[in-house]
Amino acid sequence: MVTVTATGMAMPRETVKVSRNIYKPYLMTIVDMRDETHDTRTLRLQFKDPEIAQTFDWKPGQFAQYSVFGVGECVFTIANSPTRKGYIECTFRQVGKVTSALRDMEIGQTIGFRGPYGNWFPVEEWEGKRLYFVGGGIGTVALRGVMQYCLDNRKLYDEILILNAARTVADLVYKSEMDEWAKVDGVTLVKAVDPGGETPDWDGKVGLAPNVFEELKPTPENAILVTCGPPIMIRFMLLAAERLGFKPEQVYTTLENRMKCGLGKCGRCNVGPYYVCKDGPVFTAAQLAKLPKDF
């Protein structure tokens, strides 16, 4: 194994292990799968090589390339925390050729995996602070790994709020896990759907995620806000955070911006001064302020 330096702007320089040949994927077996919504699925993967399974490591927030041989590969976040080793999970929405092929696969079949890539959430810097996680729809996937990390290391952090929001009840991801999150001491779980997206038996909030977050009146003192969702949601979450008194350095999000190679070679994810695959996918609101106004 060799190491490469992660040069993300949101945390200190560190090293993480990657495969010896950065273009050659690991072979992984699908050992379990679960449908989150009608078009979103979570796969649990295990390395075919037992030695790699024991030594592979990553940081919360990093991503990987998942490939269906003969079809292509796609970028997804590593959806589980490194505190839960022995497997890798990815959650994806069926939107194109590769994700359709991935959804057609069955337990026991083999896919490729390259990574980990990108920077990560500076969870060590957050110790002792109050944490707010706000996810919208499929954007909650980008938060799951870091949420798991913080829940698994609960004693290191102050109170934790998780707001899991979506357009409709049917679009909420990780519905089967929300009870588990809520049972952790010091964790408050809030679920919300857009107006019109509720069902007769809905017992959560009704409202747009930024509005619901403001209504909860979170204090910015000694706090970190982590949010991800559709671009329009992120935009209004940043505005809500500003109104609530959060400083740009306290607010984190993740971007995708058409990542393809994962290595900063193709240039597809370049925006302003950043390559999302190398300088991200984790960014602070302070960094986003440097991006072109029309981004």
Side-chain angles (χ1 to χ4, degrees):
M1 303 292 290
V2 296
T3 60
V4 295
T5 301
T7 57
M9 301 294 289
M11 67 291 298
R13 186 182 300 269
E14 295 185 33
T15 58
V16 291
K17 294 181 179 179
V18 298
S19 56
R20 181 175 292 109
N21 182 340
I22 59 176
Y23 300 104
K24 182 179 180 181
Y26 296 113
L27 298 181
M28 305 197 78
T29 303
I30 300 173
V31 296
D32 197 11
M33 60 179 61
R34 180 180 73 243
D35 286 336
E36 306 292 350
T37 72
H38 72 283
D39 61 358
T40 303
R41 175 170 289 179
T42 296
L43 300 181
R44 178 169 292 193
L45 312 169
Q46 286 186 345
F47 292 97
K48 286 184 174 292
D49 186 328
E51 181 179 352
I52 295 174
Q54 293 176 2
T55 60
F56 185 83
D57 199 14
W58 70 98
K59 302 286 188 179
Q62 289 191 292
F63 68 92
Q65 296 273 8
Y66 302 80
S67 54
V68 178
F69 298 116
V71 180
E73 62 183 0
C74 281
V75 173
F76 309 125
T77 188
I78 299 176
N80 59 305
S81 167
T83 54
R84 307 187 184 193
K85 296 186 185 299
Y87 61 90
I88 292 290
E89 288 191 333
C90 71
T91 302
F92 64 94
R93 174 177 287 168
Q94 183 179 356
V95 294
K97 180 177 70 173
V98 179
T99 50
S100 294
L102 197 58
R103 190 174 176 89
D104 287 341
M105 300 193 76
E106 300 177 352
I107 292 175
Q109 290 189 292
T110 299
I111 71 168
F113 173 92
R114 288 198 289 123
Y117 298 126
N119 65 0
W120 51 88
F121 293 103
V123 287
E124 292 84 3
E125 296 179 10
W126 298 352
E127 292 180 7
K129 296 185 178 182
R130 185 180 296 108
L131 304 180
Y132 303 116
F133 296 102
V134 182
I138 194 70
T140 303
V141 175
L143 307 184
R144 182 176 181 245
V146 68
M147 286 193 306
Q148 285 184 347
Y149 180 94
C150 295
L151 294 178
D152 291 346
N153 292 280
R154 180 69 193 88
K155 63 181 181 180
L156 299 179
Y157 305 97
D158 201 336
E159 296 177 355
I160 296 176
L161 168 71
I162 300 173
L163 170 54
N164 189 12
R167 186 173 58 86
T168 71
V169 174
D171 293 313
L172 278 169
V173 296
Y174 305 131
K175 288 187 283 288
S176 63
E177 299 179 20
M178 287 195 285
D179 287 344
E180 174 190 335
W181 301 342
K183 290 178 182 177
V184 179
D185 186 49
V187 173
T188 300
L189 172 69
V190 179
K191 53 186 180 179
V193 295
D194 292 354
E198 69 272 28
T199 55
D201 60 346
W202 176 243
D203 59 353
K205 301 279 188 179
V206 176
L208 300 177
N211 297 340
V212 172
F213 184 63
E214 284 195 82
E215 290 169 3
L216 296 172
K217 301 187 185 305
T219 174
E221 183 180 356
N222 194 40
I224 295 292
L225 168 60
V226 190
T227 185
C228 190
I232 190 65
M233 186 202 112
I234 294 177
R235 176 186 175 188
F236 282 99
M237 276 299 304
L238 297 182
L239 293 173
E242 183 177 3
R243 287 192 295 270
L244 289 165
F246 285 83
K247 297 178 181 178
E249 295 78 12
Q250 293 177 272
V251 182
Y252 290 78
T253 190
T254 69
L255 301 181
E256 293 182 357
N257 198 38
R258 303 177 181 177
M259 286 191 290
K260 186 171 179 64
C261 73
L263 301 168
K265 301 292 187 181
C266 69
R268 187 177 181 183
C269 68
N270 174 240
V271 54
Y274 303 126
Y275 285 88
V276 174
C277 69
K278 293 184 66 176
D279 299 314
V282 177
F283 292 92
T284 64
Q287 291 173 291
L288 295 185
K290 300 177 183 179
L291 297 181
K293 297 300 182 182
D294 58 349
F295 179 70

mmCIF file of all heavy atoms in Angstrom, residues 57-58 60 80-87 145-153:
data_model
loop_
_atom_site.group_PDB
_atom_site.id
_atom_site.type_symbol
_atom_site.label_atom_id
_atom_site.label_comp_id
_atom_site.label_asym_id
_atom_site.label_seq_id
_atom_site.Cartn_x
_atom_site.Cartn_y
_atom_site.Cartn_z
ATOM 1 N N ASP A 57 -8.987 1.805 5.215
ATOM 2 C CA ASP A 57 -9.468 2.850 6.111
ATOM 3 C C ASP A 57 -9.898 4.067 5.295
ATOM 4 O O ASP A 57 -9.469 4.246 4.156
ATOM 5 C CB ASP A 57 -8.374 3.246 7.100
ATOM 6 C CG ASP A 57 -8.940 3.974 8.316
ATOM 7 O OD1 ASP A 57 -10.180 3.949 8.527
ATOM 8 O OD2 ASP A 57 -8.151 4.583 9.061
ATOM 9 N N TRP A 58 -10.736 4.888 5.891
ATOM 10 C CA TRP A 58 -11.206 6.103 5.221
ATOM 11 C C TRP A 58 -11.649 7.087 6.298
ATOM 12 O O TRP A 58 -11.652 6.781 7.499
ATOM 13 C CB TRP A 58 -12.346 5.790 4.260
ATOM 14 C CG TRP A 58 -13.635 5.394 4.904
ATOM 15 C CD1 TRP A 58 -14.720 6.192 5.155
ATOM 16 C CD2 TRP A 58 -13.999 4.089 5.391
ATOM 17 N NE1 TRP A 58 -15.726 5.467 5.760
ATOM 18 C CE2 TRP A 58 -15.308 4.182 5.913
ATOM 19 C CE3 TRP A 58 -13.342 2.858 5.434
ATOM 20 C CZ2 TRP A 58 -15.964 3.093 6.473
ATOM 21 C CZ3 TRP A 58 -13.994 1.768 5.991
ATOM 22 C CH2 TRP A 58 -15.307 1.894 6.505
ATOM 23 N N PRO A 60 -14.683 10.103 7.474
ATOM 24 C CA PRO A 60 -16.093 10.440 7.211
ATOM 25 C C PRO A 60 -16.218 11.629 6.268
ATOM 26 O O PRO A 60 -15.658 12.695 6.505
ATOM 27 C CB PRO A 60 -16.651 10.768 8.602
ATOM 28 C CG PRO A 60 -15.455 11.023 9.456
ATOM 29 C CD PRO A 60 -14.338 10.217 8.893
ATOM 30 N N ASN A 80 -21.055 4.797 5.141
ATOM 31 C CA ASN A 80 -20.932 4.364 6.531
ATOM 32 C C ASN A 80 -19.658 4.935 7.145
ATOM 33 O O ASN A 80 -18.717 5.308 6.449
ATOM 34 C CB ASN A 80 -20.972 2.845 6.667
ATOM 35 C CG ASN A 80 -19.886 2.137 5.890
ATOM 36 O OD1 ASN A 80 -19.747 2.336 4.680
ATOM 37 N ND2 ASN A 80 -19.095 1.307 6.568
ATOM 38 N N SER A 81 -19.655 4.992 8.452
ATOM 39 C CA SER A 81 -18.532 5.571 9.192
ATOM 40 C C SER A 81 -17.366 4.597 9.289
ATOM 41 O O SER A 81 -17.562 3.372 9.342
ATOM 42 C CB SER A 81 -18.991 5.933 10.611
ATOM 43 O OG SER A 81 -17.893 6.203 11.448
ATOM 44 N N PRO A 82 -16.116 5.110 9.344
ATOM 45 C CA PRO A 82 -14.968 4.219 9.558
ATOM 46 C C PRO A 82 -14.973 3.555 10.927
ATOM 47 O O PRO A 82 -14.176 2.648 11.175
ATOM 48 C CB PRO A 82 -13.760 5.161 9.399
ATOM 49 C CG PRO A 82 -14.301 6.537 9.603
ATOM 50 C CD PRO A 82 -15.706 6.499 9.099
ATOM 51 N N THR A 83 -15.875 3.988 11.812
ATOM 52 C CA THR A 83 -16.028 3.280 13.080
ATOM 53 C C THR A 83 -16.760 1.959 12.890
ATOM 54 O O THR A 83 -16.819 1.146 13.812
ATOM 55 C CB THR A 83 -16.818 4.144 14.087
ATOM 56 O OG1 THR A 83 -18.061 4.545 13.478
ATOM 57 C CG2 THR A 83 -16.023 5.384 14.471
ATOM 58 N N ARG A 84 -17.318 1.759 11.705
ATOM 59 C CA ARG A 84 -18.053 0.529 11.396
ATOM 60 C C ARG A 84 -17.345 -0.172 10.255
ATOM 61 O O ARG A 84 -17.803 -0.192 9.126
ATOM 62 C CB ARG A 84 -19.514 0.853 11.065
ATOM 63 C CG ARG A 84 -20.178 1.680 12.149
ATOM 64 C CD ARG A 84 -21.658 1.886 11.958
ATOM 65 N NE ARG A 84 -22.205 2.770 12.983
ATOM 66 C CZ ARG A 84 -23.496 2.948 13.236
ATOM 67 N NH1 ARG A 84 -24.390 2.274 12.510
ATOM 68 N NH2 ARG A 84 -23.901 3.768 14.186
ATOM 69 N N LYS A 85 -16.188 -0.712 10.575
ATOM 70 C CA LYS A 85 -15.327 -1.311 9.565
ATOM 71 C C LYS A 85 -15.799 -2.706 9.197
ATOM 72 O O LYS A 85 -16.712 -3.259 9.796
ATOM 73 C CB LYS A 85 -13.880 -1.366 10.073
ATOM 74 C CG LYS A 85 -13.253 0.002 10.321
ATOM 75 C CD LYS A 85 -11.792 -0.139 10.684
ATOM 76 C CE LYS A 85 -11.188 1.201 11.061
ATOM 77 N NZ LYS A 85 -11.243 2.168 9.961
ATOM 78 N N GLY A 86 -15.120 -3.285 8.186
ATOM 79 C CA GLY A 86 -15.444 -4.633 7.745
ATOM 80 C C GLY A 86 -16.341 -4.651 6.528
ATOM 81 O O GLY A 86 -16.526 -5.696 5.908
ATOM 82 N N TYR A 87 -16.895 -3.498 6.193
ATOM 83 C CA TYR A 87 -17.755 -3.398 5.023
ATOM 84 C C TYR A 87 -17.800 -1.948 4.563
ATOM 85 O O TYR A 87 -17.396 -1.022 5.280
ATOM 86 C CB TYR A 87 -19.163 -3.911 5.321
ATOM 87 C CG TYR A 87 -19.885 -3.151 6.417
ATOM 88 C CD1 TYR A 87 -20.679 -2.042 6.124
ATOM 89 C CD2 TYR A 87 -19.776 -3.538 7.759
ATOM 90 C CE1 TYR A 87 -21.334 -1.338 7.118
ATOM 91 C CE2 TYR A 87 -20.434 -2.837 8.764
ATOM 92 C CZ TYR A 87 -21.210 -1.747 8.441
ATOM 93 O OH TYR A 87 -21.848 -1.050 9.426
ATOM 94 N N GLY A 145 -22.445 9.037 7.029
ATOM 95 C CA GLY A 145 -21.177 8.547 7.553
ATOM 96 C C GLY A 145 -20.664 9.377 8.711
ATOM 97 O O GLY A 145 -20.228 8.841 9.743
ATOM 98 N N VAL A 146 -20.719 10.702 8.571
ATOM 99 C CA VAL A 146 -20.222 11.565 9.650
ATOM 100 C C VAL A 146 -21.176 11.551 10.838
ATOM 101 O O VAL A 146 -20.750 11.629 11.993
ATOM 102 C CB VAL A 146 -19.968 12.995 9.130
ATOM 103 C CG1 VAL A 146 -21.265 13.701 8.766
ATOM 104 C CG2 VAL A 146 -19.179 13.803 10.145
ATOM 105 N N MET A 147 -22.485 11.393 10.590
ATOM 106 C CA MET A 147 -23.421 11.259 11.702
ATOM 107 C C MET A 147 -23.128 9.988 12.488
ATOM 108 O O MET A 147 -23.101 9.994 13.723
ATOM 109 C CB MET A 147 -24.864 11.243 11.193
ATOM 110 C CG MET A 147 -25.382 12.592 10.745
ATOM 111 S SD MET A 147 -27.189 12.662 10.505
ATOM 112 C CE MET A 147 -27.483 11.300 9.387
ATOM 113 N N GLN A 148 -22.919 8.878 11.776
ATOM 114 C CA GLN A 148 -22.592 7.622 12.456
ATOM 115 C C GLN A 148 -21.334 7.770 13.292
ATOM 116 O O GLN A 148 -21.264 7.286 14.422
ATOM 117 C CB GLN A 148 -22.412 6.497 11.434
ATOM 118 C CG GLN A 148 -23.680 5.964 10.835
ATOM 119 C CD GLN A 148 -23.416 4.787 9.897
ATOM 120 O OE1 GLN A 148 -22.275 4.528 9.514
ATOM 121 N NE2 GLN A 148 -24.466 4.085 9.535
ATOM 122 N N TYR A 149 -20.337 8.439 12.716
ATOM 123 C CA TYR A 149 -19.074 8.636 13.445
ATOM 124 C C TYR A 149 -19.328 9.382 14.758
ATOM 125 O O TYR A 149 -18.838 8.986 15.821
ATOM 126 C CB TYR A 149 -18.078 9.406 12.584
ATOM 127 C CG TYR A 149 -16.744 9.638 13.270
ATOM 128 C CD1 TYR A 149 -15.688 8.749 13.080
ATOM 129 C CD2 TYR A 149 -16.549 10.721 14.128
ATOM 130 C CE1 TYR A 149 -14.474 8.932 13.731
ATOM 131 C CE2 TYR A 149 -15.342 10.915 14.785
ATOM 132 C CZ TYR A 149 -14.310 10.019 14.575
ATOM 133 O OH TYR A 149 -13.115 10.207 15.234
ATOM 134 N N CYS A 150 -20.091 10.462 14.689
ATOM 135 C CA CYS A 150 -20.343 11.266 15.879
ATOM 136 C C CYS A 150 -21.234 10.536 16.881
ATOM 137 O O CYS A 150 -21.057 10.675 18.099
ATOM 138 C CB CYS A 150 -20.951 12.607 15.479
ATOM 139 S SG CYS A 150 -19.826 13.651 14.511
ATOM 140 N N LEU A 151 -22.182 9.744 16.389
ATOM 141 C CA LEU A 151 -23.012 8.953 17.297
ATOM 142 C C LEU A 151 -22.198 7.848 17.961
ATOM 143 O O LEU A 151 -22.384 7.558 19.150
ATOM 144 C CB LEU A 151 -24.193 8.356 16.534
ATOM 145 C CG LEU A 151 -25.222 9.349 15.982
ATOM 146 C CD1 LEU A 151 -26.305 8.617 15.202
ATOM 147 C CD2 LEU A 151 -25.837 10.193 17.085
ATOM 148 N N ASP A 152 -21.288 7.237 17.213
ATOM 149 C CA ASP A 152 -20.443 6.181 17.769
ATOM 150 C C ASP A 152 -19.418 6.722 18.750
ATOM 151 O O ASP A 152 -18.895 5.978 19.585
ATOM 152 C CB ASP A 152 -19.733 5.418 16.643
ATOM 153 C CG ASP A 152 -20.681 4.578 15.815
ATOM 154 O OD1 ASP A 152 -21.833 4.368 16.250
ATOM 155 O OD2 ASP A 152 -20.289 4.124 14.717
ATOM 156 N N ASN A 153 -19.113 8.014 18.625
ATOM 157 C CA ASN A 153 -18.187 8.680 19.560
ATOM 158 C C ASN A 153 -18.952 9.755 20.344
ATOM 159 O O ASN A 153 -18.448 10.858 20.565
ATOM 160 C CB ASN A 153 -17.030 9.325 18.789
ATOM 161 C CG ASN A 153 -16.110 8.303 18.164
ATOM 162 O OD1 ASN A 153 -15.243 7.722 18.827
ATOM 163 N ND2 ASN A 153 -16.288 8.053 16.868
#
